[in-house]
Amino acid sequence: QVQLQESGPGLVKPSQTLHLTCTVSGASITTNHGYWSWVRQPPGKDLEWMGAIDSGGSAYYNPSLKSRTSISRDTSKNQFTLRLSSVIPEDTAVYYCACQAWGRLSTLARDYDYWGQGTQVTVSS
């Protein structure tokens, strides 16, 4: 059973950098073929794919967020991390980590096989 768990601050001030970590159990982020993604949902809006890292460590980003987003991993802890810089109030959302176990990289939520429970992040001074 693959399980994902997000962790990080619930409140971030504007212009600061948000760091979120996803801890994975039941699968290795290095040996299983697939993509490990970050997805967010602002209040009243649709899910938005932010980016992903594959089992080889290559990262992929939503072009609209690429200039502010970085995804990395700690293989010793089986974790991957989202870094979002220069946050603004519009970055307020529930942030999810998710796994697409098969196929080519997809930005569609329906193609993801496993999800974390999500963590609320609010950007406010």
Side-chain angles (χ1 to χ4, degrees), residues 11-18 68 84-88 91 123-124:
L11 179 64
V12 185
K13 294 183 178 180
S15 80
Q16 291 186 338
T17 297
L18 170 67
R68 298 195 293 132
L84 182 66
S85 61
S86 304
V87 297
I88 57 177
D91 291 317
V123 179
S124 175

Side-chain angles (χ1 to χ4, degrees), residues 5-83:
Q5 178 66 58
E6 305 90 350
S7 59
L11 179 64
V12 185
K13 294 183 178 180
S15 80
Q16 291 186 338
T17 297
L18 170 67
H19 294 271
L20 293 175
T21 296
C22 183
T23 301
V24 179
S25 60
S28 170
I29 64 172
T30 61
T31 60
N32 289 75
H33 296 291
Y35 298 92
W36 306 90
S37 289
W38 288 97
V39 181
R40 69 180 183 179
Q41 187 167 30
K45 296 186 178 181
D46 292 334
L47 290 167
E48 178 182 34
W49 178 77
M50 301 182 70
I53 190 165
D54 67 19
S55 57
S58 296
Y60 309 84
Y61 299 104
N62 184 328
S64 68
L65 297 169
K66 185 176 182 179
S67 63
R68 298 195 293 132
T69 306
S70 177
I71 297 175
S72 59
R73 64 182 187 173
D74 185 335
T75 58
S76 67
K77 297 180 180 179
N78 212 35
Q79 296 175 333
F80 62 105
T81 300
L82 171 72
R83 178 181 180 274

Side-chain angles (χ1 to χ4, degrees), residues 90-120:
E90 288 73 21
D91 291 317
T92 294
V94 178
Y95 285 74
Y96 299 91
C97 55
C99 171
Q100 180 190 350
W102 307 102
R104 301 178 67 178
L105 176 62
S106 173
T107 62
L108 302 177
R110 65 169 185 252
D111 293 328
Y112 296 125
D113 303 284
Y114 306 99
W115 290 79
Q117 64 182 20
T119 186
Q120 173 70 48

